[in-house]
Amino acid sequence: MQSVPPRYFSTNKAIFGTPDLEARIADGSLRTVGLAEAIITGQARDGGLFMPTDIPQINPESISRIKDMSYAQVFVETMQPFFEGTLPRETLEKIAEEAYPEKDEKSAFRPFIEKLSGIDYIGRLDEGPTFAFKDYAAQLLFRIIEALMKQDSGEVESLGKEFQKKYENTKNLGNLGLAYSEAMPANINRDMEFRKHLSDIDLMAFIVATSGDTGGAMGHAVLNREKMWMAILHSAFIGKEISELQAKQMDTLEGNTYAIWTKTDFDGNQKIAQDLLKDPELKYMNMNSANSINIGRLIPQIAYYFYIYSRVAEHTREEIMFSVPCGNLGNLVAGLFAIKMGLPIKLLIGVNENDVVERLYRTGLYAPAEKTVTTPSNAMDVNWPSNMRRLFQLYNGQLIEGKDPDDPERKVIEKWILPDLHRMRQEITGAYKLSNKEALKEIEQFWKKRYLIGDIHSTLEPHGAVAYGTMQRFRQQTGYDGKIVAFETAHPAK
């Protein structure tokens, strides 16, 4: 396992995996931050997203041990390489045990794997407190921030010194290791100064834009936590942009959470949230994001790829494919991070009628539509996916977004360098679009097959239907007979 954790840079300033990145780290011309600062600030100063300078590796022996671990243990095993020097392992273990209880089978919070056949599986990520896959990251994020805010100066100093020793021994890790060894002393000192002042924060404000599930998951996770409050921006068009149950999960929380209705869709709410986060006049409010633009929201999702893989694969070299329903692309990027860490998986992209990522994959053109289409899979109704910037980065591309100078309410592409589509297509092996009618048809056909979970008739919800339909289309087109796990990202009752 790689011994040196990554630093984090703005996607607006450099490109992942390039010699230029290494050179600029070494000469100090590229500003990088530690994981604590990336999580606490949520977004880079220039509006870019934080991207790791490199991605830690997990060896096959470690992957083979995961099959005997609880979900909390899998989380620690996969996240420790990122959090080393930021939180002690024992703190991470305590957080994971609290977030992912497994006291008994009925109340266990972990992915449920439904086996449909010897090669077809549903990975049900709806076992959390709000019955959505967002719970996996939500239950971690605020506990992690709480732990960072409670660290005293002595613990920060101790971790920093230990951290610095590791970076002093990185010269044998190639060009990036050499860059680290030259640049790290000053960076680590700055990190320690930043972290020593976190305990002084009286109140941290979280701004969340939601297309349905994120708001409920984040609101539930932050509820009644000290020194934190949250504003949840969700569409006022209930029954169209979000479901009635999703709205109730947000509107009835109260306490330190505030649900704000807006006359727009997710893309509009996301723009409001990002404008607030970038506003220098609001810096005093200690604003942060709980959307997947925050790297602390994204990386915990890596763990369920490892967990499900370990339960489905017969050996650690077996290739497993995951069919991922895509909206803001956090789930997809987490899977790509898992691949970079050494997990032998491939991904399929499934989209609804908001098909910007499918068109990019198929044509090489990135062209968000003028309007978002309302679909039954409303959490995927996204035209400007935030994590598209990280997707570009993973394949040596770059995407910088800005505002139209003639219409500040309109988002535009300021600059883009096309990602290496050949490399992308080696790890993402297909992309499929399902219309509203096709997605609903998949739900109906799945129901008629009468799959059972115990003695309960199994069913799909619209997001899972897109992933399931994508899996079926890929098999029909390619004849692929390997194992595929289709993600179900919310409970059918929602």
Side-chain angles (χ1 to χ4, degrees), residues 101-138:
E102 293 194 29
K103 294 177 182 177
D104 56 68
E105 286 299 314
K106 286 187 177 180
S107 63
F109 180 15
R110 62 182 181 228
F112 178 81
I113 303 165
E114 181 183 358
K115 186 175 182 179
L116 306 180
S117 70
I119 56 174
D120 288 341
Y121 298 80
I122 302 291
R124 294 188 176 271
L125 302 176
D126 55 6
E127 302 294 300
T130 70
F131 310 108
F133 83 104
K134 309 295 176 72
D135 288 321
Y136 284 91

Side-chain angles (χ1 to χ4, degrees), residues 294-314:
N294 189 319
I295 195 73
R297 242 292 312 276
L298 189 145
I299 58 175
Q301 296 174 234
I302 295 168
Y304 54 67
Y305 280 93
F306 278 86
Y307 179 89
I308 294 172
Y309 176 87
S310 71
R311 270 60 180 176
V312 172
E314 294 177 21

Side-chain angles (χ1 to χ4, degrees), residues 226-446:
E226 293 181 4
K227 295 188 174 184
M228 299 182 189
W229 73 266
M230 178 177 289
I232 303 170
L233 309 177
H234 77 69
S235 176
F237 304 121
I238 297 167
K240 182 182 178 184
E241 296 292 341
I242 63 171
S243 75
E244 187 175 342
L245 180 56
Q246 287 172 326
K248 284 180 178 178
Q249 282 189 321
M250 295 177 270
D251 296 345
T252 59
L253 283 170
E254 298 185 339
N256 58 336
T257 66
Y258 301 85
I260 301 172
W261 293 21
T262 62
K263 292 182 178 180
T264 185
D265 55 19
F266 173 74
D267 287 318
N269 282 322
Q270 186 166 241
K271 181 184 178 301
I272 294 169
Q274 292 188 9
D275 286 348
L276 290 170
L277 290 166
K278 289 188 291 185
D279 190 333
E281 293 185 11
L282 300 178
K283 188 177 180 181
Y284 74 95
M285 294 183 68
N286 298 309
M287 281 194 175
N288 198 345
S289 171
N291 287 95
S292 58
I293 62 173
N294 189 319
I295 195 73
R297 242 292 312 276
L298 189 145
I299 58 175
Q301 296 174 234
I302 295 168
Y304 54 67
Y305 280 93
F306 278 86
Y307 179 89
I308 294 172
Y309 176 87
S310 71
R311 270 60 180 176
V312 172
E314 294 177 21
H315 54 82
T316 56
R317 302 289 182 182
E318 182 180 1
E319 182 181 284
I320 305 293
M321 199 168 289
F322 284 82
S323 179
V324 186
C326 293
N328 209 29
L329 304 186
N331 199 357
L332 182 77
V333 171
L336 293 171
F337 276 28
I339 291 173
K340 305 297 184 189
M341 291 175 75
L343 194 64
I345 63 173
K346 297 290 175 71
L347 304 180
L348 295 171
I349 289 172
V351 299
N352 60 25
E353 294 187 17
N354 299 287
D355 60 352
V356 62
V357 66
E358 183 269 341
R359 285 186 284 111
L360 169 70
Y361 183 91
R362 179 168 43 86
T363 67
L365 297 176
Y366 180 55
E370 286 296 322
K371 291 186 178 180
T372 303
V373 180
T374 300
T375 76
S377 49
N378 57 0
M380 297 159 58
D381 292 351
V382 183
N383 248 327
W384 287 85
S386 298
N387 284 292
M388 185 67 80
R389 286 170 278 182
R390 291 187 176 119
L391 179 63
F392 270 57
Q393 287 275 335
L394 286 167
Y395 301 102
N396 298 132
Q398 188 176 39
L399 176 64
I400 299 176
E401 297 174 353
K403 294 180 181 179
D404 185 337
D406 299 322
D407 181 4
E409 295 301 309
R410 185 170 177 267
K411 190 182 286 189
V412 295
I413 300 167
E414 285 187 1
K415 174 186 176 182
W416 70 312
I417 298 171
L418 187 68
D420 185 334
L421 293 173
H422 175 71
R423 282 180 51 224
M424 181 190 291
R425 289 166 181 158
Q426 289 177 330
E427 295 177 340
I428 303 172
T429 55
Y432 297 85
K433 170 186 173 181
L434 274 74
S435 67
N436 290 352
K437 185 177 180 180
E438 288 170 329
L440 295 175
K441 187 69 174 176
E442 291 294 341
I443 296 174
E444 179 186 352
Q445 290 176 343
F446 186 90

